[in-house]
């Protein structure tokens, strides 16, 4: 069975105090309602607050995973401003995002760099959420499936079967991120099915059936249930709605309540 997985990507928001408060609110609610029994949960604070959030999660013995929004592929060296896998592990990080649309389209990361980051994180024993998704003009031009396939094949080149249990895919149509427009549940399900077929062609049907595919793009408490009940949607990657504890928790609850998926 694929356990749902919900991640909160805080992006470049909050300060130290607000990061601690949000992490604490989440840790308390997850423990009280035992939400982690039916859903894996991760939060991705800005790099500078990772240590603050780590301390809160440690003090609460929380099962919430600590995530990083980015990673550099080399372990150390002259890469000003960058942060490596050993550094992240040293700070208690267990999962990283690669290929987020803001890094692809605002920062200008290539498929090749995203692949290096993905492999470096997996080689270091970290979990990875590889984000993919088409831009509005690509969708309008009927390119959705080709873009997703290209980003999956390029992003996962060289990934070996032993690493797949630590891999999650996030399908996040770029036009839906932070815009308030989300894909319809049927459109998202269709894209997820096609992504799973690409994964099957890369790694075999059994392995593909075990890989979790999150949906991301303007998910909130009010639309989470209809997305999370789709048969190939295994949780969500949440931006704006992850900054408010109650809103994020309502998405986690929707994912946890969805019917079991996979074999
Ligand atoms: C994201 O940042 O991955 C995201 C999906 O953002 P939002 O939920 O704000 O659309």
């Amino acid at each position: 069975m694929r356990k749902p997985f919900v991640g909160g990507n805080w992006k470049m928001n909050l300060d130290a105090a607000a990061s601690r408060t949000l992490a604490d609110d989440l840790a308390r609610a997850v423990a009280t309602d035992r939400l982690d029994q039916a859903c894996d949960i991760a939060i991705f604070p800005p790099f500078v607050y990772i240590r603050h959030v780590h301390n809160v999660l440690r003090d609460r013995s929380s099962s919430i995973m600590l995530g990083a929004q980015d990673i550099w592929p080399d372990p150390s060296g002259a890469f000003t401003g960058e942060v490596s896998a050993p550094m992240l592990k040293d700070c208690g990080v267990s999962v990283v995002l690669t290929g987020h649309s803001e890094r692809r389209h605002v920062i200008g990361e290539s498929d090749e760099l995203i692949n290096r980051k993905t492999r470096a994180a997996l080689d270091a024993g970290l979990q990875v959420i590889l984000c993919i998704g088409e831009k509005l003009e690509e969708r309008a031009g009927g390119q959705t499936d080709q873009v997703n396939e290209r980003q999956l094949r390029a992003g996962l080149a060289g990934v070996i079967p032993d690493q797949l249990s630590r891999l999650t895919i996030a399908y996040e149509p770029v036009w839906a991120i932070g815009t308030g427009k989300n894909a319809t549940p049927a459109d998202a399900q269709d894209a997820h099915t096609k992504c799973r077929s690409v994964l099957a062609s890369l790694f075999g049907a059994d392995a593909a059936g075990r890989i979790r595919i999150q949906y991301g793009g303007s998910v909130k408490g009010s639309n989470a249930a209809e997305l999370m009940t789709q048969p190939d949607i295994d949780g969500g990657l949440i931006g704006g709605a992850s900054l408010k504890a109650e809103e994020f928790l309502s998405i986690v609850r929707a994912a946890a309540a969805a019917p079991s998926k996979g074999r």
Side-chain angles (χ1 to χ4, degrees):
M1 289 302 187
R2 299 188 302 266
K3 189 178 183 186
F5 182 11
V6 175
N9 175 12
W10 296 358
K11 310 194 187 189
M12 198 175 72
N13 291 300
L14 307 180
D15 57 17
S19 296
R20 277 198 212 93
T21 303
L22 180 53
D24 197 56
D25 290 348
L26 294 174
R28 274 189 293 117
V30 167
T32 306
D33 297 346
R34 307 180 84 180
L35 294 173
D36 51 348
Q37 299 210 319
C39 186
D40 287 337
I41 303 159
I43 49 180
F44 299 81
F47 280 141
V48 288
Y49 303 133
I50 280 179
R51 189 53 100 178
H52 303 72
V53 171
H54 171 263
N55 291 347
V56 171
L57 298 179
R58 180 203 56 205
D59 293 348
R60 292 237 171 247
S61 304
S62 180
S63 60
I64 296 176
M65 287 180 276
L66 180 59
Q69 298 174 20
D70 191 24
I71 184 172
W72 186 255
D74 299 272
S76 64
F79 301 100
T80 303
E82 298 296 340
V83 177
S84 69
M87 292 172 179
L88 293 173
K89 288 173 71 177
D90 198 24
C91 292
V93 165
S94 59
V95 51
V96 299
L97 302 181
T98 59
H100 191 278
S101 75
E102 286 143 22
R103 298 217 60 92
R104 290 180 189 270
H105 305 303
V106 182
I107 318 282
E109 289 191 4
S110 65
D111 280 330
E112 195 260 331
L113 178 58
I114 292 162
N115 174 246
R116 287 180 59 213
K117 292 183 173 193
T118 301
R119 280 189 293 128
L122 290 171
D123 288 347
L126 290 161
Q127 294 200 41
V128 171
I129 300 178
L130 169 65
C131 307
I132 60 164
E134 82 285 2
K135 295 193 278 190
L136 186 57
E137 59 270 28
E138 292 166 334
R139 186 174 195 84
Q143 301 287 300
T144 299
D145 297 338
Q146 289 95 314
V147 170
N148 287 336
E149 177 158 3
R150 191 201 75 230
Q151 293 182 355
L152 278 174
R153 288 187 183 280
L156 296 174
V159 171
I160 57 172
D162 279 358
Q163 298 176 324
L164 296 178
S165 61
R166 286 183 283 110
L167 174 73
T168 297
I169 304 300
Y171 168 60
E172 303 199 292
V174 180
W175 48 272
I177 296 182
T179 58
K181 297 180 195 146
N182 61 300
T184 65
D187 282 347
Q189 166 60 23
D190 182 55
H192 282 226
T193 312
K194 305 247 171 63
C195 290
R196 206 176 293 287
S197 311
V198 175
L199 294 172
S201 79
L202 285 170
F203 302 114
D206 278 358
R210 286 192 290 271
I211 296 173
R212 294 180 290 193
I213 307 178
Q214 300 172 325
Y215 172 77
S218 297
V219 180
K220 39 190 190 284
S222 56
N223 61 19
E226 56 180 2
L227 287 160
M228 299 304 148
T229 46
Q230 297 299 310
D232 282 285
I233 298 184
D234 307 310
L237 185 57
I238 317 301
S242 71
L243 297 172
K244 297 253 162 33
E246 264 322 307
E247 190 71 20
F248 184 65
L249 289 164
S250 65
I251 297 167
V252 170
R253 288 193 181 94
S260 306
K261 297 161 194 177
R263 278 184 286 142

